[in-house]
Amino acid sequence: MNIAFAVTEVGTESAAGDYFTALELGNALAARYGWLIHYLPKGNAWYDLAGVDILIVMVEDFDLRLMRNAALGLITVAWARNWFERWCDQPCIADYSVHMASSRRAADYMSQRIGKRVRLLRIATNAERFNMVDRPQVALLDYVFTGSYWQAERDVVNALAALPTHFRGAVYGKNWAQVPVLAALNRGFVPYSQMPGVYRQATMVVDDANHVTKTWGAANSRVFDALAAGCLVISNSASVSQEVFDGLLPVYTTPAELATLLQRYLSDAPARLALQSELRGRVLQRHLYQHRALEFFLHLSGCRELKWAQTKAGATSLPPAKVAVELASTSMAAAPLPSISFIVPLFNHLQHTQAMLASLLASLPPGLDFEVILADDASTDGTAAWLQTQQNPRIKTLISAVNQGYAANNNAAAHLARGDVLALLNNDLLFEPGWLAPMLDILLDPVRSAGGVGNVQRRIDNGAVDHAGVCLNSLGQLEHMRELPAGGAAAVQVFAVTGACMLLRRADFEACGGFDTAYVNGGEDVDLCFKLRAAGHRIYVAPESCIGHHVSLSRGPTSLNDERNSRRLFKRWRRELKNELSRVWRQRLATGAATLTEDFDGLIDPACLATPQLASLRIAEALLQRHEARWAQLLD
């Protein structure tokens, strides 16, 4: 498969960051998947796309309307590393097949601007190029800055000019002779191939996120390269530190703060080395181009154009079919994907179980390391006998002669699981290819700290959205969200998700003690989400993942048993529920959505409405007390 990157310039003397970013990703894609990589610099041949299957555009001024010799089904990818507003202003931005951005904030912003999903693909580093081999025990320089001057204002100019002269520093890049105040530091341009040697001679690297990336959380390649090479990085971007490194990366906002940080870490070598080791470890675990190659592959595999092309795979004259088939046939076994255990508790409805299993197996990408655990809970319709006929080595069966209930049945199946990730599923679902990747994207994104990931579930009988998360309504009742989120976001943080289709790490499931067996076929999944949240995780829905659900089979009418489950849940998580209910009411009061007649109904003194914070807390408490009184009358 032929991949072309549209870049500013190419060659060893290039100072364009987009080219070297493309070069490293291209090398990683070629090494992992055997794809042929080409680089198209600005000029007469920039728009000549003869023979290209996938075009990756690295600069915002590329105009899709000027392409020549492009195949009918050319896949076009916009990868925005900076200038995110300019990307959105391009007249053809919505025409790209796939959109990617180098930070989460940028991806969310672009999604809202263009109404399309924008996937996260950060810049990274090549640890074979940038490493600590031959790094001296004593560095020649206290700090270096690497980057060119393009007649735009940069924080680093004033910051370095104001540093005390006892700091040993150097600046490498083009055009710094035009900045007299840094003349003593200027060492001139250094080719990319020699950049590891620059970092090898320095204790620290000063990062200067420019005005088009500073507030976006988009880390420059120098951050990843320098950390991989053994330097501690001090950045001027708090957003980069927070989004990429959980706030651990040191940040300066003034020249004085930079001087203070340099002096602190030069005088305290143990602290500097410990912090650098922690940050370097994160880079090596999460931010290598081999990681980005896999992420890029998953993004392409999940894009709608390729799903469409895959249905046309017989039409070999169409390039999209070629791309789809090659992606589908590319083995993912060697990639660092997690192994997955699909856990399906069963109780009757054998025909739906059979249909679910067939659709599940047909939907999974080739090369995925997985197992399916079918756990029967004393079915009476022949399910146990059918399970005994299963010959697929990937399918494990668990048959109980006694009905244990949803929680105990799932826990028993999870005990058998060997996957890194658990996929909790109902047996009344139907799957289509592409449902898994968007959920995995969220779960594996370290920035999101996802504990559980759900998806969109549509009713099989009429196609209506039945689940897009669980929320707490203004009456203090948990209910399914039945509207798709607006804005095209790749992930939406929610209060909870249903266990009908939920991804989480097996280690997190075990750390939370699994499902609480005190619940009886209801409330276990929401309780699990609360436990994950209490452990510091977040709960998400993946809007790009959609499956079908025979709702009536697994959800019956409200019963006393449901009331007992709700009472248990509200008693255990009363504080969390009160906080959420208070938040809901603060929002209602702020937007004028609440009325005394319809909503308060004597719950509080109207006088406290003058203080929304106080009013929302009192309303939440009153509603919870109302529920508790009703349960006492109904159940005691």
Side-chain angles (χ1 to χ4, degrees), residues 421-549:
V421 170
L422 301 183
L424 308 177
L425 306 176
N426 274 11
N427 69 328
D428 55 355
L429 306 175
L430 288 178
F431 302 90
E432 291 186 1
W435 73 274
L436 180 61
M439 298 178 74
L440 273 178
D441 281 351
I442 298 170
L443 186 67
L444 301 182
D445 183 352
V447 174
R448 295 195 186 279
S449 301
V453 181
N455 63 357
V456 176
Q457 297 163 26
R458 291 185 178 272
R459 296 180 64 100
I460 291 176
D461 55 0
N462 60 18
V465 173
D466 181 68
H467 176 83
V470 173
C471 66
L472 193 66
N473 67 22
S474 60
L475 297 179
Q477 300 164 329
L478 291 165
E479 62 181 20
H480 292 273
M481 301 163 64
R482 292 188 168 90
E483 291 185 2
L484 294 178
V492 177
Q493 192 172 343
V494 294
F495 198 51
V497 294
T498 176
C501 184
M502 177 183 180
L503 260 60
L504 72 164
R505 292 176 177 81
R506 178 162 61 93
D508 291 337
F509 184 82
E510 293 173 349
C512 289
F515 285 119
D516 185 349
T517 57
Y519 295 92
V520 182
N521 299 334
E524 302 94 337
D525 46 6
V526 177
D527 180 78
L528 177 62
C529 289
F530 273 108
K531 290 193 286 187
L532 291 167
R533 285 154 56 100
H537 302 297
R538 298 168 183 162
I539 308 299
Y540 291 93
V541 159
E544 287 289 321
S545 172
C546 185
I547 60 175
H549 189 192

Side-chain angles (χ1 to χ4, degrees), residues 190-355:
V190 173
Y192 181 68
S193 60
Q194 298 179 24
M195 201 62 70
V198 170
Y199 295 141
R200 200 169 288 127
Q201 64 180 333
T203 299
M204 285 174 279
V205 169
V206 177
D207 176 45
D208 179 49
N210 61 31
H211 66 285
V212 297
T213 60
K214 181 179 178 180
T215 62
W216 290 96
N220 189 286
S221 59
R222 84 168 64 84
V223 174
F224 298 121
D225 294 343
L227 288 170
C231 299
L232 178 62
V233 174
I234 302 176
S235 178
N236 66 330
S237 174
S239 63
V240 167
S241 178
Q242 191 60 48
E243 179 169 319
V244 185
F245 297 103
D246 297 325
L248 291 178
L249 191 73
V251 174
Y252 70 95
T253 59
T254 66
E257 287 181 357
L258 176 60
T260 298
L261 287 169
L262 286 172
Q263 186 59 49
R264 176 190 304 169
Y265 288 114
L266 285 171
S267 60
D268 190 348
R272 182 186 74 246
L273 294 172
L275 180 56
Q276 200 284 328
S277 178
E278 170 66 23
L279 293 169
R280 183 173 187 268
R282 293 185 178 217
V283 169
L284 299 183
Q285 292 173 8
R286 308 172 184 176
H287 302 296
L288 303 182
Y289 276 106
Q290 65 192 59
H291 301 143
R292 300 298 179 263
L294 170 62
E295 293 166 12
F296 184 86
F297 178 92
L298 288 174
H299 290 334
L300 285 189
S301 299
C303 95
R304 292 174 178 173
E305 286 73 15
L306 293 181
K307 293 179 194 176
W308 171 84
Q310 203 161 5
T311 67
K312 304 284 188 180
T316 54
S317 62
L318 288 178
K322 172 185 175 183
V323 175
V325 170
E326 289 205 30
L327 285 175
S329 62
T330 300
S331 175
M332 296 165 65
L337 278 175
S339 56
I340 302 180
S341 295
F342 296 93
I343 294 178
V344 190
L346 309 176
F347 182 70
N348 293 332
H349 303 294
L350 174 58
Q351 287 185 327
H352 289 287
T353 298
Q354 293 169 332

